[in-house]
Amino acid sequence: MPNCRLSSILSVLACLLGVAAQAQNPLITNQFTADPSARVFNDRVYVYPSHDIRATPGHGRVGWFVMEDYHVFSSANLTDWTDHGVIVTQNKVPWVKPDSYSMWAPDCMYRNGKYYFYFPTTPRDTTISKGFTVGVAVSDKPTGPFVPQPLPIKGVRGIDPNVFIDKDGQAYLYWSQGNIYGAKLKENMLELASEPQALGELPTQGLKEGPYLFERNGTYYLTYPHVASKTERLEYATSTSPLGPFTVKGVIMDESPTGCWTNHHSILAFKNQWYLFYHHNDLSPSFDKNRSIRMDSLFFEPTGAIRKVVPTLRGVGLTDAKQKIQLDRYSRLSSSGASIAFLDTASKFQGWKTVFTGSQGWVQYNGVAFGKQALKTVRLRAQAAAGATLQLRADGAAGPVLAQVTVPKGSQWQEVKAPLTAFKPGTHALVVSSKTNAPVAIDWVRFE
């Protein structure tokens, strides 16, 4: 059960009802999340995102980013994610301007038995900074409780803090404010040990923000969002030193195809695979200030160059066949006869559905773990006003037919059950296709 240290009964219920998301993008579907900072602590991945909310009268600026607190999410397998609840909230930090709703992109780092959570926001004392500055909250556990320091870090003015500890034990803090800056941190992780320096070898035109630095095979990769045209894309530069000089190398992820203005990311290695965490406005397609975090695999060329990441809906990890398989987070979709739509456009957190409009429609969902013990039935939630027939196969058109499911006539959603005619142990792609010309919608599929 998640540790839901939240401020209201409704928030607790939302946390309890949204404990897990199954290996698909976006990772979290019961609230808006953005700016994911992912870390590995004790063989478990923890993601510290910012938390977008909607502005309401007297609470935040309409049409802009509105953020009042931070959650942390974790997973041992990159498939099942637990929401551990709120770890820091704006009006419980001594130096923060009350009701400023500016708790932007954070980061977290472990050192000497403590977890240090770095976050930017607006100070109540404008003599400290007229804009954003960066504070630290400290905990004995990666999930908190985190205790904020009484004052922000002296000498830091800006947003998007990122912390890196080099192999020699020296810690560095990076942040952005027009340029991207870096400085050494003291052993206590709470104070700068050197004067901030602008990392000036980066592009001079267009906004740069959200720095995230990591090291691989002796090369230091400084990654950052950059507005080269109209919206942010993810780029990177490399160096032989944590503070540069850096050489711009290329693009990690192109601009959003749907016009989401921001992207913000982190990169980590977990169990011999590298991953890119980032965000998009999946659950708020008409308003890009409400984002949702995603994750996809990342690969390096033999030269050390980062191979460009193409965003997916399927994401990473395996989906247990006995869990609800959300086909709308597909790996492949037919070019005609199939589409994806919200279950309820007035309540987008309910997620999506797969809609077949004819017998040419099909959807493929990779990475379904059927296990070794034979499963006997399939259950799915569907809607077909005129009735429909669906076919389920393993591994595409050449694979065995697992089941043929008849969906009765009806305007309401209904759960339909059918026996399996074949079972194939192991991990396979699941392909669901329509065998009638009547429209049919599918919410989820599950094997039993």
Side-chain angles (χ1 to χ4, degrees):
M1 181 176 291
N3 183 11
C4 298
R5 296 181 297 276
L6 304 181
S7 58
S8 70
I9 293 175
L10 289 177
S11 295
V12 171
L13 289 174
C15 179
L16 291 171
L17 292 173
V19 171
Q22 282 78 43
Q24 55 202 22
N25 287 326
L27 298 181
I28 309 301
T29 57
N30 72 324
Q31 60 188 274
F32 295 118
T33 49
D35 313 316
S37 179
R39 297 293 183 185
V40 179
F41 299 134
N42 301 318
D43 295 323
R44 191 174 180 91
V45 174
Y46 291 82
V47 179
Y48 299 84
S50 54
H51 181 198
D52 291 336
I53 60 175
R54 297 279 191 182
T56 57
H59 298 84
R61 173 182 162 189
V62 175
W64 194 239
F65 303 102
V66 182
M67 306 168 178
E68 66 178 338
D69 58 32
Y70 298 99
H71 287 235
V72 57
F73 302 85
S74 75
S75 176
N77 58 9
L78 303 181
T79 296
D80 305 300
W81 291 90
T82 299
D83 180 355
H84 299 278
V86 172
I87 56 172
V88 173
T89 189
Q90 62 179 2
N91 291 341
K92 293 186 178 180
V93 181
W95 57 269
V96 172
K97 179 182 178 182
D99 300 320
S100 50
Y101 296 96
S102 56
M103 310 291 275
W104 288 13
D107 196 6
C108 191
M109 183 58 70
Y110 172 80
R111 185 163 206 171
N112 297 332
K114 299 287 185 180
Y115 296 86
Y116 297 87
F117 180 74
Y118 298 81
F119 59 96
T121 191
T122 308
R124 69 167 74 223
D125 184 355
T126 57
T127 63
I128 294 177
S129 174
K130 293 183 180 180
F132 280 69
T133 190
V134 173
V136 190
V138 185
S139 174
D140 295 325
K141 299 178 181 179
T143 56
F146 282 88
V147 179
Q149 295 296 295
L151 292 172
I153 301 175
K154 185 177 180 180
V156 177
R157 180 173 179 266
I159 60 174
D160 303 339
N162 164 241
V163 178
F164 170 75
I165 300 179
D166 206 358
K167 294 186 292 292
D168 63 2
Q170 178 62 59
Y172 297 82
L173 178 67
Y174 302 86
W175 67 96
S176 59
Q177 183 69 32
N179 291 308
I180 291 177
Y181 295 87
K184 292 181 179 180
L185 279 171
K186 290 184 178 180
E187 180 76 16
N188 64 15
M189 303 296 283
L190 304 174
E191 302 172 86
L192 296 187
S194 66
E195 289 296 316
Q197 66 181 71
L199 307 182
E201 304 84 21
L202 307 180
T204 57
Q205 299 298 315
L207 175 68
K208 303 178 297 297
E209 57 179 0
Y212 190 89
L213 188 130
F214 68 94
E215 182 269 341
R216 176 181 179 270
N217 296 339
T219 297
Y220 297 87
Y221 292 77
L222 177 63
T223 65
Y224 51 91
H226 174 220
V227 181
S229 180
K230 294 182 179 179
T231 61
E232 290 186 339
R233 68 185 187 187
L234 302 181
E235 300 179 2
Y236 76 104
T238 61
S239 177
T240 57
S241 167
L243 292 175
F246 288 92
T247 301
V248 173
K249 290 294 186 178
V251 175
I252 302 171
M253 178 176 284
D254 287 327
E255 293 89 343
S256 160
T258 60
C260 182
W261 190 79
T262 65
N263 199 352
H264 190 112
H265 68 295
S266 56
I267 295 172
L268 61 70
F270 182 63
K271 296 183 177 178
N272 300 314
Q273 175 62 51
W274 287 84
Y275 297 97
L276 173 70
F277 291 76
Y278 61 104
H279 71 227
H280 200 253
N281 61 325
D282 297 85
L283 290 164
S284 179
S286 61
F287 182 58
D288 65 358
K289 307 303 184 292
N290 288 159
R291 290 78 51 89
S292 297
I293 62 172
R294 290 177 162 205
M295 172 178 55
D296 276 298
S297 298
L298 180 143
F299 300 92
F300 293 85
E301 304 291 356
T303 60
I306 297 176
R307 190 183 305 169
K308 188 182 292 185
V309 177
V310 178
T312 75
L313 295 176
R314 177 60 183 86
V316 305
L318 298 179
T319 299
D320 190 327
K322 296 185 290 293
Q323 293 181 336
K324 291 178 180 178
I325 302 166
Q326 306 290 344
L327 296 175
D328 47 75
R329 307 294 86 188
Y330 59 84
S331 302
R332 296 176 60 205
L333 189 71
S334 58
S335 58
S336 63
S339 62
I340 306 301
F342 282 106
L343 285 165
D344 184 350
T345 56
S347 181
K348 295 184 176 66
F349 286 153
Q350 292 186 33
W352 298 265
K353 59 186 176 183
T354 304
V355 181
F356 296 131
T357 56
S359 59
Q360 301 301 311
W362 57 266
V363 62
Q364 177 174 317
Y365 186 101
N366 292 348
V368 178
F370 286 89
K372 297 179 180 179
Q373 185 174 352
L375 301 171
K376 297 179 179 179
T377 61
V378 62
R379 185 187 299 270
L380 55 84
R381 185 171 187 256
Q383 180 187 51
T389 300
L390 299 169
Q391 186 181 85
L392 284 69
R393 286 182 177 269
D395 297 326
V401 175
L402 301 178
Q404 193 111 327
V405 182
T406 299
V407 182
K409 295 180 181 180
S411 59
Q412 302 300 315
W413 287 98
Q414 53 188 316
E415 291 190 19
V416 183
K417 190 175 180 180
L420 294 187
T421 55
F423 174 76
K424 194 173 182 180
T427 299
H428 305 282
L430 173 64
V431 178
V432 179
S433 58
S434 174
K435 294 303 174 182
T436 55
N437 286 320
V440 57
I442 303 174
D443 184 4
W444 49 258
V445 174
R446 183 177 66 205
F447 294 86
E448 301 171 344

